[in-house]
Amino acid sequence: MTDTPAPDTPVEDAADDAPPRLGRLVFHGPLSERRAGDLVRRLAAGAPRTVLDLGCGWGELLLRVLEAVPGARGVGVDLNAEDLRRGRRAAGERGLADRVAFVQESAVGTRRGPADLVLCVGSSQALGAQEPPGHLAEALGELRRLVADGGRVLLGEGFWERPPTARELAGMWPGASADDHPGLSRLLDLAVEAGFRPEWVETADRDEWEAFESGYQADAEVWLATHPGHPLAAATRERLDRHRHQWMHYRGVLGLAYLTLVPVTRTPPRPDGAHGATGSDGADGAGGG
């Protein structure tokens, strides 16, 4: 969906006057202030004590949840050192440095759960090694492992608004396939199969997408217009033009769902060794985290 630089080679390190990166974005995804506020209020209502953000970037949503729940503590996990530094700076500026840790490590097989609230927004690919279409079932299984009974998972996940055409796929990211994402209905089925019930289902709208995609490139576009002869101009132009071309092919085709998921409570063994029923009937036992 986006062409971010490699984690250990941020563009800014190339030169003091290099193109800026992502400065216009509050969230690294199509998420409006209105929707973010609704999400935070809903997630904070369960008063989570522990929050785990997987593929957190600079952790803006994580920080907002911690602001809304004064007793909560959080951990953000990501591989991008630059984004993590941005998150730590923001935490310090907002008086949250003693309640949150931003750690540079892989989320694959992480042992940092279970947490009362797990955030995984646009980063399910960070939870395993499987390729589409099997990656989602693997990621959802990991999320169920990492969330405590009675907690919540916020999953931000791509889906096809409609089946993409061959021409559209050819213009998207390299190797794009119809198997890269499910439809929304199938995404919800996968969540249920993994041991969740969907509490809330919402999808990013066109305005959110256009604000994100424009903000993703805006600072670099302005820089390029004013630095046409810079040594990094040619590479920056190629990157910006490539991403805009890709966006124009997935615009209106690729969606992003925000799913608030409740884990189905795992029924403990009975004293006599018999086991109670599991599955959708167990959903009644899941309460707010």
Side-chain angles (χ1 to χ4, degrees):
M1 185 167 64
T2 53
D3 296 326
T4 51
D8 295 327
T9 56
V11 172
E12 288 88 333
D13 290 348
D16 291 341
D17 60 345
R21 174 178 174 265
L22 309 183
R24 303 272 189 109
L25 294 181
V26 177
F27 304 99
H28 200 307
L31 181 62
S32 65
E33 287 288 343
R34 177 195 60 78
R35 191 183 309 280
D38 289 345
L39 286 169
V40 169
R41 283 189 291 274
R42 192 177 309 124
L43 297 171
R49 296 164 298 173
T50 53
V51 186
L52 177 62
D53 192 348
L54 301 166
C56 64
W58 53 85
E60 178 62 26
L61 202 60
L62 167 62
L63 295 178
R64 293 192 183 199
V65 170
L66 296 181
E67 287 174 324
V69 187
R73 304 183 69 85
V75 175
V77 175
D78 205 287
L79 291 174
N80 191 300
E82 181 186 358
D83 286 348
L84 292 169
R85 286 193 296 269
R86 178 174 170 179
R88 293 186 193 108
R89 286 195 303 270
E93 292 165 359
R94 290 148 78 168
L96 296 170
D98 62 338
R99 292 202 286 129
V100 64
F102 286 94
V103 294
Q104 186 176 12
E105 64 185 31
S106 171
V108 176
T110 182
R111 300 179 66 180
R112 292 190 174 273
D116 296 330
L117 172 60
V118 179
L119 308 176
C120 183
V121 179
S123 53
S124 62
Q125 73 282 352
L127 296 179
Q130 285 200 44
E131 297 294 324
H135 71 297
L136 267 179
E138 179 184 30
L140 283 160
E142 279 293 277
L143 291 171
R144 181 61 191 93
R145 178 179 69 84
L146 292 167
V147 66
D149 282 350
R152 294 292 186 275
V153 167
L154 176 65
L155 175 65
E157 185 60 46
F159 71 97
W160 295 126
E161 298 268 10
R162 59 169 174 78
T165 66
R167 179 180 177 278
E168 288 166 340
L169 287 168
M172 295 182 192
W173 48 90
S177 163
D179 288 335
D180 287 350
H181 299 285
L184 182 58
S185 177
R186 179 56 183 155
L187 175 58
L188 287 164
D189 288 345
L190 286 168
V192 170
E193 291 167 12
F196 293 102
R197 302 303 304 178
E199 179 182 16
W200 209 269
V201 179
E202 52 196 309
T203 61
D205 62 28
R206 180 65 64 86
D207 288 345
E208 288 173 303
W209 270 106
E210 294 189 345
F212 167 59
E213 294 288 357
S214 296
Y216 182 78
Q217 306 243 100
D219 281 343
E221 290 283 14
V222 172
W223 178 93
L224 183 61
T226 56
H227 296 75
H230 192 281
L232 294 177
T236 301
R237 183 180 300 108
E238 191 278 332
R239 174 173 58 84
L240 293 171
D241 290 348
R242 180 179 70 248
H243 181 75
R244 186 181 65 253
H245 176 82
Q246 292 171 353
W247 171 30
M248 290 297 105
H249 283 79
Y250 63 70
R251 180 175 181 267
V253 184
L254 178 65
L256 191 79
Y258 293 99
L259 308 182
T260 303
L261 302 174
V262 186
V264 176
T265 299
R266 297 185 176 98
T267 305
R270 295 176 182 171
D272 60 3
H275 293 270
T278 59
S280 60
D281 290 345
D284 291 342

